[in-house]
Amino acid sequence: DANGQAQTAQETGPVISGNGQYVVSQSATEGMWLWDATSDTTRLLSSDARADAGTDALAIDNEGRYVAYVGWVGEGVYLIDTTTNSISQISEGASSPNTCASVSISDDGRYVAFGCYSDASGNEIYIYDTAAHQLKSIEDKNGATLDGSEPMISGNGRYIAFSSSSN
């Protein structure tokens, strides 16, 4: 955590940026923190940010600008812009009611992929474009929503791998 203490089961992370400069972690009691290895400084991103348990519930882009996380108990997916200190819920518009479970971010932070579940539609994978501020469901070549979970987006944001029970 931010104090150099060992993590407990109520903490998420740590997750390191692709360039190795930033580490993000969150504590259920202390909020979400960002450590900068170059300046050896730690700053609070949000005392209210509560990522769900598990390292796939927290992601950081290559340069440390964007931090994406699944809210506590899967309540949605959020994006923190560390340059403006803004937090936005990027899963608004996903099938509702939903429970989200995992998040992945492209190297440049432009695309955030995440998986959600709803009783009406089952497992779905979404991608959020941080530049266009648009959310869309991932579909197969015939336009049908994919039944998938645990997405991992490629560094360039072009490909998404995921788990699926479909053929």
Side-chain angles (χ1 to χ4, degrees):
D1 70 7
N3 299 316
Q5 301 298 313
Q7 289 189 304
T8 67
Q10 296 179 339
E11 297 186 13
T12 303
V15 178
I16 190 167
S17 64
N19 67 4
Q21 182 176 348
Y22 298 98
V23 176
V24 64
S25 64
Q26 80 87 38
S27 162
T29 58
E30 296 178 6
M32 193 167 299
W33 295 86
L34 182 70
W35 178 67
D36 183 333
T38 302
S39 64
D40 193 24
T41 57
T42 303
R43 70 179 171 114
L44 180 66
L45 293 177
S46 172
S47 59
D48 296 328
R50 298 286 186 261
D52 207 351
T55 55
D56 64 344
L58 184 62
I60 187 169
D61 73 349
N62 197 42
E63 301 298 321
R65 176 175 179 182
Y66 291 109
V67 174
Y69 65 97
V70 176
W72 197 248
V73 197
E75 67 183 19
V77 178
Y78 298 84
L79 185 70
I80 300 175
D81 183 333
T82 64
T83 60
T84 64
N85 293 320
S86 63
I87 301 175
S88 55
Q89 183 177 5
I90 62 172
S91 59
E92 286 186 34
S95 295
S96 185
N98 65 58
T99 302
C100 301
S102 56
V103 66
S104 177
I105 193 166
S106 63
D107 286 348
D108 65 1
R110 174 151 185 192
Y111 300 105
V112 180
F114 58 92
C116 292
Y117 173 82
S118 76
D119 291 334
S121 57
N123 290 315
E124 290 186 58
I125 296 174
Y126 295 90
I127 187 161
Y128 181 80
D129 183 332
T130 62
H133 305 285
Q134 292 181 333
L135 176 69
K136 69 176 184 176
S137 176
I138 302 300
E139 300 172 342
D140 68 15
K141 63 183 178 182
N142 299 316
T145 301
L146 291 173
D147 175 16
S149 61
E150 301 171 344
M152 291 299 296
I153 196 164
S154 63
N156 64 8
R158 186 171 177 188
Y159 303 102
I160 298 175
F162 57 93
S163 297
S164 177
S165 58
S166 299
N167 290 331

